Amino acid sequence: LFLSTFTLAVSAGAVLLLPFSIISNEILLSFPQNYYIQWLNGSLIHGLWNLASLFSNLCLFVLMPFAFFFLESEGFAGLKKGIRARILETLVMLILLALLILGIVWVASALIDNDAASMESLYDLWEFYLPYLYSCISLMGCLLLLLCTPVGLSRMFTVMGQLLVKPTILEDLDEQMYIITLEEAAIQRRLNGISSTVESQAAELEQELEKVKSKKTNLERRKKASAWERNLVYPAVMILLLTETSISVLLVALNILYLLVDETAMPKGSGGPGIGNASLSTFGFVGAALEIILIFYLMVSSVVGFYSLRFFENITPRKDDTTMTKIIGNCVSILVLSSALPVMSRTLGITRFDLLGDFGRFNWLGNFYIVLSYNLLFAIMTTLCLVRKFTSAVREELLKALGLDKLHLSNNPRDSEAKPSANGHQKTL
């Protein structure tokens, strides 16, 4: 648990370091001769980026594998059972795993690039193995972000809709409360009338009763909400989300144009000015603040999109129902996403901050075709997800009008669960 907590803290540090670097650069530009901010300099930022890279490597390749193997270990046969025997077995497993990885890299290097310089670099673990391995992990994280972030950007509207109180337009909350109360009472009477021997029917009724109670709770919350919360907060948040998403897509589109006409737009195109020498944004402090907001928005969206994918639904943490193995898997996933976020932000042109330390030593950042393809895929996937999100209601109505709704062409699970209300009417968009 301690190692998982430390890994999560390193993930938060990797996410917060990029906004901290951007705002530090603007502060140094605004107050270049101020005595009280002389500690905020390029060497400090550079050292923090190196520490973030070091601890990310440490957590990803040492601490988290150690935590996983320690959970699975029981101690070697013949030794006294206890913590010491389990730690010994875990260390042996880590050494064997490291030897296996080194052997695979050695064989791959011998088959692909068999020359003297390549073979000599294999002996340098610190300068070759770890940066190269971390570059591969960062590339995997960027590909995972490319898959998760567009899904999360469209999913954010649904998540915020569940957290906020929606406006009551053409709805009678009192009537809905009356209907849901009658439904709850009917299910409760049926549940009381069933004998204890019929366990399957009782379980189904209990699940249905829980759903009705959750709906009743949501209706009570909507009824108690003030007019300001219903009619102002929800539209404002939706407009804000739409604005941030549109700005992100627009910045990526502009970055694609820059890539086609200017070589310095590449993430590895130029060393860039040092901290405190020039503004990283065209619009100065306002542009830097916008970049920070977009970076946080992309990180939250990527996490939401990650847990929205069907492949990762099994590791979604749940209160009082999450094993330690799932906690380790969640921490590793968050660490990979957070470590790749600065690289993705620079690759997409969200910020022009040149990555310092080992974060900027990725070979694939200098490949024009990889960077251009990444930008194009992000813009296209985000646009498609948003179009699919905002046209789903219209699409469902068109399918119903054409009589194709019985073919189950919709991917929305809520449509199959929709039932008419007690008065025989159903309000739909």
Side-chain angles (χ1 to χ4, degrees):
L1 185 62
F2 172 76
L3 295 179
S4 300
T5 306
F6 179 75
T7 302
L8 202 60
V10 172
S11 304
V15 172
L16 296 174
L17 189 53
L18 183 58
F20 175 75
S21 303
I22 295 174
I23 198 68
S24 299
N25 182 72
E26 299 300 325
I27 290 176
L28 289 174
L29 285 174
S30 302
F31 309 99
Q33 304 298 329
N34 196 321
Y35 173 77
Y36 296 101
I37 60 171
Q38 293 302 312
W39 58 273
L40 198 62
N41 49 39
S43 61
L44 172 66
I45 306 297
H46 187 84
L48 289 176
W49 277 96
N50 286 332
L51 287 176
S53 176
L54 174 63
F55 283 121
S56 297
N57 280 284
L58 182 65
C59 293
L60 197 58
F61 301 121
V62 180
L63 298 185
M64 286 293 95
F66 179 88
F68 177 76
F69 288 131
F70 182 78
L71 284 177
E72 302 296 329
S73 65
E74 296 179 356
F76 292 112
L79 295 179
K80 184 179 179 181
K81 302 298 181 181
I83 298 295
R84 184 174 299 179
R86 294 178 62 187
I87 291 178
L88 179 61
E89 181 184 353
T90 304
L91 292 177
V92 171
M93 290 295 297
L94 283 178
I95 293 174
L96 293 177
L97 180 63
L99 291 176
L100 177 63
I101 294 176
L102 292 178
I104 292 174
V105 174
W106 187 285
V107 173
S109 178
L111 292 175
I112 297 174
D113 191 12
N114 190 12
D115 57 353
S118 177
M119 299 302 292
E120 288 180 1
S121 64
L122 290 174
Y123 294 100
D124 197 346
L125 296 178
W126 187 260
E127 294 294 333
F128 176 78
Y129 266 117
L130 290 181
Y132 183 75
L133 198 58
Y134 193 70
S135 175
C136 296
I137 296 296
S138 176
L139 179 59
M140 292 174 57
C142 286
L143 294 177
L144 186 60
L145 283 175
L146 180 62
L147 183 64
C148 298
T149 308
V151 177
L153 289 174
S154 62
R155 178 70 177 162
M156 283 292 291
F157 294 92
T158 304
V159 172
M160 296 307 297
Q162 294 173 352
L163 296 177
L164 300 176
V165 178
K166 298 181 181 180
T168 55
I169 302 175
L170 300 177
E171 285 184 300
D172 190 352
L173 293 181
D174 294 329
E175 179 186 0
Q176 294 185 24
M177 280 292 299
Y178 179 71
I179 294 172
I180 205 73
T181 304
L182 292 179
E183 189 175 354
E184 181 185 6
I187 296 175
Q188 189 66 50
R189 284 195 300 268
R190 290 176 58 190
L191 188 60
N192 295 333
I194 292 179
S195 60
S196 59
T197 56
V198 189
E199 295 182 356
S200 59
Q201 295 183 7
E204 292 178 0
L205 287 176
E206 286 179 357
Q207 292 179 359
E208 191 173 353
L209 183 61
E210 289 296 328
K211 293 180 181 179
V212 171
K213 286 183 178 180
S214 64
K215 292 180 181 179
K216 184 178 179 181
T217 304
N218 293 332
L219 285 176
E220 289 176 350
R221 183 191 171 200
R222 294 182 62 186
K223 191 174 180 180
K224 293 179 181 178
S226 62
W228 289 97
E229 185 179 358
R230 289 197 306 265
N231 302 322
L232 182 62
V233 175
Y234 181 83
V237 171
M238 291 296 115
I239 293 174
L240 181 62
L241 292 179
L242 185 60
T243 303
E244 291 180 348
T245 306
S246 303
I247 292 175
S248 302
V249 176
L250 180 61
L251 288 177
V252 174
L254 292 176
N255 188 53
I256 293 174
L257 295 178
Y258 290 150
L259 288 172
L260 295 175
V261 299
D262 190 3
E263 294 181 355
T264 59
M266 290 288 294
K268 235 178 177 180
S270 61
I275 296 293
N277 295 328
S279 179
L280 301 175
S281 175
T282 308
F283 301 100
F285 192 84
V286 176
L290 179 61
E291 290 179 0
I292 293 174
I293 294 174
L294 290 178
I295 289 170
F296 281 120
Y297 180 57
L298 289 178
M299 184 59 197
V300 174
S301 301
S302 64
V303 174
V304 172
F306 176 79
Y307 289 115
S308 299
L309 297 177
R310 294 182 180 179
F311 186 76
F312 301 106
E313 283 182 350
N314 294 329
I315 66 171
T316 303
R318 293 177 176 83
K319 185 179 179 180
D320 300 329
D321 189 24
T322 307
T323 61
M324 199 65 217
T325 305
K326 287 186 178 181
I327 292 177
I328 293 175
N330 280 277
C331 291
V332 171
S333 303
I334 297 298
L335 178 62
V336 171
L337 292 177
S338 60
S339 299
L341 179 68
V343 185
M344 186 191 75
S345 302
R346 181 65 182 93
T347 305
L348 295 178
I350 303 297
T351 177
R352 293 194 300 114
F353 180 78
D354 288 306
L355 305 173
L356 297 173
D358 290 335
F359 277 89
R361 298 172 57 182
F362 304 134
N363 296 327
W364 58 272
L365 289 179
N367 192 311
F368 172 78
Y369 296 102
I370 292 179
V371 175
L372 181 63
S373 302
Y374 192 89
N375 282 264
L376 286 173
L377 285 174
F378 182 88
I380 293 172
M381 291 176 63
T382 304
T383 305
L384 290 178
C385 288
L386 290 177
V387 170
R388 182 179 181 274
K389 174 69 178 178
F390 288 104
T391 60
S392 59
V394 179
R395 187 174 63 252
E396 296 301 328
E397 292 300 324
L398 288 176
L399 290 176
K400 291 178 181 178
L402 296 174
L404 300 177
D405 54 323
K406 298 180 181 179
L407 298 178
H408 302 287
L409 299 176
S410 171
N411 294 324
N412 191 357
R414 296 182 182 177
D415 296 334
S416 60
E417 300 176 358
K419 298 179 180 179
S421 58
N423 58 2
H425 299 283
Q426 180 181 357
K427 298 182 180 66
T428 59
L429 178 59

